[in-house]
Structures are given as structure tokens and as C-alpha cells.
Amino acid sequence: YAKIEHSLFISIPYSRRGNSYCVSCGQKFLRGIQGLKEAKNPIIDIVYAEAKGKEKGKNLKTRLDSLKRDKYGEHRYNALNLHSWFHRGTIECRLAAGTIDYTKIVNWSLLWGGILDFAMRNSETKIDKITNYGPENEALELVCPSEEIVKWLDERRKLFSSRSQKEML
């Protein structure tokens, strides 16, 4: 996710990128998983790393239990909401705004299916070699399930990059 987050963010409206309900988290999560291969509960360590503070033992367990129960806590507002795992057993992508537009719903769903499929089919070593964070979006195109999704994302990037430039003027 950290490898493609930038490309995903430039595919959404500027208003979505700049609010506190869809916060960039890829690099934070990437830092959180480094060295966690031995962790008993890596998702807890990744999601709540900053909030755990210096708590230890029983105090740490109490703090973590409290964070997991906090349905509307700040941890929920990451673009990739792993906090929802503790409430619903699901992971939420907050990048796409609510819509009834069939094309958006289907294309976002297909894109995330492609992302998950790519992650399952490839080794960590291969994924680690992906280095493109730039506007060319090569990393994101690697995980796209079809040429149609690549074109859809390109159209979105063009639309939202021109809009954000106009908004800034």
C-alpha cells in the first residue's frame, strides 16, 4: 500500500486529499511494520504505535483495549483504515467519497481487487523492489487488473490535477 498510496491520492479530488477524514498513512504503516516479523499482534503495533506511548504490561493492555473500542477515534481516519478490523473484521479504504455512480463503485472495487490479488500473488521481495512513487504511477499500474482501470485512473488524475491547479489560483 505504501508503494501506491501517492498515486491513489492524486486520483482523488483535492478536497478529499486535504481533509482530516482521509489521512495519508502508507509511510507511517510501512515504518510500523519494519522489524515486526516476530510481533504477536502486528496489526495492533502498526495501527496504534503512536498512541501506545510508553505504557507497559497491564497499563498497555488497558490502553490498547480502550483504543480498539473507540469507534470514532483518530485512528479510523487513515486513508487505509485498519482500525475497523477491530470493529467489523474489515479493512476500509477511505479514499473514495460516498457515491451512487455505478462506474466509480465498480472501478474502485476492481482496483482494490487487483491490489489484493497482486499482493497475494507476489513475494515481499518482489513488492519491496517496487520503487516508483512519482507521477508516472508505474507502481499503481502494476496492480491494476485491466487496461480499462488504468485509463480510468489516468482520466481521474488529469481531471483532479487540473482542478487543483485552478483552485490554487
Side-chain angles (χ1 to χ4, degrees):
Y1 176 78
K3 303 278 183 170
I4 62 171
E5 183 180 63
H6 172 73
S7 296
L8 290 169
F9 262 84
I10 61 174
S11 301
I12 61 175
Y14 184 76
S15 62
R16 195 83 183 142
R17 293 180 228 174
N19 69 43
S20 60
Y21 299 103
C22 181
V23 178
S24 174
C25 59
Q27 293 305 308
K28 176 177 76 171
F29 288 169
L30 186 60
R31 284 190 307 274
I33 62 170
Q34 293 171 342
L36 284 183
K37 293 190 189 266
E38 307 295 320
K40 290 180 182 178
N41 296 305
I43 194 167
I44 291 172
D45 290 341
I46 294 166
V47 175
Y48 305 116
E50 295 168 353
K52 287 187 335 184
K54 297 180 183 180
E55 302 287 347
K56 302 265 190 235
K58 193 174 183 179
N59 289 342
L60 176 58
K61 182 180 178 347
T62 302
R63 175 76 174 131
L64 288 174
D65 288 345
S66 172
L67 289 169
K68 289 189 282 186
R69 282 191 310 272
D70 187 4
K71 183 177 180 181
Y72 296 106
E74 66 183 67
H75 301 96
R76 134 180 227 217
Y77 298 112
N78 287 311
L80 184 63
N81 176 7
L82 301 178
H83 175 70
S84 70
W85 182 260
F86 300 105
H87 290 286
R88 295 176 201 89
T90 63
I91 294 173
E92 175 189 24
C93 172
R94 298 183 64 86
L95 290 163
T99 185
I100 58 171
D101 182 301
Y102 172 83
T103 302
K104 288 180 186 178
I105 294 167
V106 169
N107 287 345
W108 275 110
S109 300
L110 289 171
L111 174 61
W112 277 98
I115 292 168
L116 294 171
D117 187 51
F118 183 87
M120 292 299 295
R121 284 184 291 125
N122 292 280
S123 67
E124 282 186 54
T125 303
K126 183 173 181 176
I127 293 170
D128 284 344
K129 289 180 182 177
I130 299 170
T131 59
N132 186 304
Y133 295 99
E136 292 77 29
N137 303 301
E138 293 165 11
L140 184 56
E141 289 177 12
L142 280 173
V143 303
C144 281
S146 69
E147 208 41 52
E148 289 80 22
I149 301 299
V150 172
K151 288 177 187 175
W152 176 72
L153 287 169
D154 283 340
E155 290 169 9
R156 290 180 63 82
R157 283 190 288 273
K158 288 175 189 167
L159 173 67
F160 297 125
S161 67
S162 63
R163 274 192 185 168
S164 62
Q165 288 174 0
K166 288 176 186 174
E167 289 172 5
M168 296 173 119
L169 293 178

